[in-house]
Amino acid sequence: MKITDMKVTPIAFADPPLLNAAGLHAPYALRIILELETDEHITGIGEIAGGSSVLKGLEEARKVVVGMDPFERNKIRIAIDKTFANLTDSLNIGYAHKGAARRMYSAINIALVDLIGKAIERPACDVIGGKVRDRIDFSAYLFYKYEGAGGRWGFGHNPDARGWDKAKEMEALTPEAVVEEARAMIKEYGFKSIKLKGGVLPPQVECDTIKALAEAFPGYPLRIDPNAVWTYETSVKYAPLLKQYLEYYEDPCKGQDAMARLGHVCDIPRATNMCTTSFEEIPSDIQKGATDIILADPHYWGGMDATIELGRICSVFGRKLSMHSNSHLGISMMAMAHVGVAVPEISYAMDTHYPWQCEDVIKGGRVKFDEGAIVVGNEPGLGVELDHEKLEILHRNYLKCGIKDRNDEIEMQKKVPGWTVSKHIF
Ligand code: GKR
Ligand code: MG
């Protein structure tokens, strides 16, 4: 089998005004949809975070991938690595070549795994080693937010919205409002654990929010993720209070050194998707004792195969695995779910932003949750098909919306003039 084309389509979909340590989500989130076509008329699909450099990179990657055999994933990975080692500077894609190559290959790997699954008529999880479970839990991913549902051309605000659809348009800037957000999301999706995106309001308010959530949802495992804008001192100060509530403390402070020091004085498990985000950073993480849990993500670590490898490495060094996410649609949802049922070391409910979105590019409606989990069936590949009409609508959104790169800081400055990431430290 030969790859005959790789279609790369940037899209934009409505995203609510969610707050985080980097600022504010824009009204549209960007993704890129990949279609790998073959001479046997089987197509594999993938989805990855958007942005101009990734787009540029994938255009280059196409030249490498076309003509190769999709079953030869190792050769394709090496070819992409080599290409970006030589090309990064001239493309000016702005990050070290290994990181660039890994992101490009992540997208391609997801599409390859889908393609092979479709070719052999087996689910994607079988292509990466097979299921160790049939379903994988996700957590309710809560955000402080401004009022609104995002979007500008009719996809965002829905005057007839009810339940979660209504709740996700509401402002949530207090512990009480976040508890209401959680109630509506959990009622709709059945999640059994909760993650709070922190690093937004003063740490005491965020700890009060965690306490309010613990009281409203007794027995639910909780996490807070301040995205490393708490200082080491603040992270230490709030640890005793948070200890009774948290299953893990996600990136409270910045860098492996600070996270390692935190481990000496705080016995809440420390998790990261910030200080250790690549295989190259694992040795120093282990040496320093920086973290207990790595948040994998097939979109950043090198795809679905790489998540299996990461799981093995983590188990060798006594680390556990959870899953990071970003605003995404159904292809990514299923890539994460297939990884979730196949990687034995994943031992926590995984993150997903999916409830915050209302559109999709897949046929037959959005992916369904069952009691907070996704059940992975036996449909070939990722188990979802691309809907080209929907893809075209979201591609037109991309062309119209004027956003080419995510920049939460600039978006925040529209609400709070003068706001900067560098001054937003607690
Ligand atoms: O969507 O605002 C967001 C999150 O803050 C996201 O950008 C992070 O990458 O979810 C992520 C995290 O766990 O750090
Ligand atoms: Mg995080």
Side-chain angles (χ1 to χ4, degrees), residues 207 210-212 214-215 220-223 241-248:
C207 290
I210 287 290
K211 183 167 178 277
E215 285 165 3
Y220 273 58
L222 302 175
R223 314 145 190 188
L241 177 65
L242 289 169
K243 183 178 157 38
Q244 57 192 312
Y245 306 120
L246 294 189
E247 69 172 338
Y248 60 72

Side-chain angles (χ1 to χ4, degrees), residues 20 25 141 143 195 197 225 227 250 273 324-326 353 406:
N20 66 23
H25 283 213
Y141 195 159
F143 283 82
K195 164 168 172 167
K197 173 57 60 178
D225 175 12
N227 276 125
E250 184 175 328
N273 66 277
H324 162 263
S325 84
N326 264 318
H353 286 56
R406 177 178 175 179

Side-chain angles (χ1 to χ4, degrees), residues 49-78:
S52 50
S53 60
V54 189
L55 205 54
K56 227 193 279 181
L58 284 170
E59 297 299 338
E60 290 302 317
R62 174 195 286 123
K63 297 173 196 157
V64 180
V65 165
V66 169
M68 294 188 81
D69 178 345
F71 282 81
E72 297 189 333
R73 307 207 286 283
N74 295 330
K75 270 194 193 163
I76 297 176
R77 178 173 51 77
I78 292 164

Side-chain angles (χ1 to χ4, degrees), residues 224 230 235 239 242 246 248-252 262 266 268-271:
I224 188 167
W230 290 7
S235 310
L242 289 169
L246 294 189
Y248 60 72
Y249 206 7
E250 184 175 328
D251 289 311
L262 182 63
C266 139
I268 313 171
R270 295 147 302 151

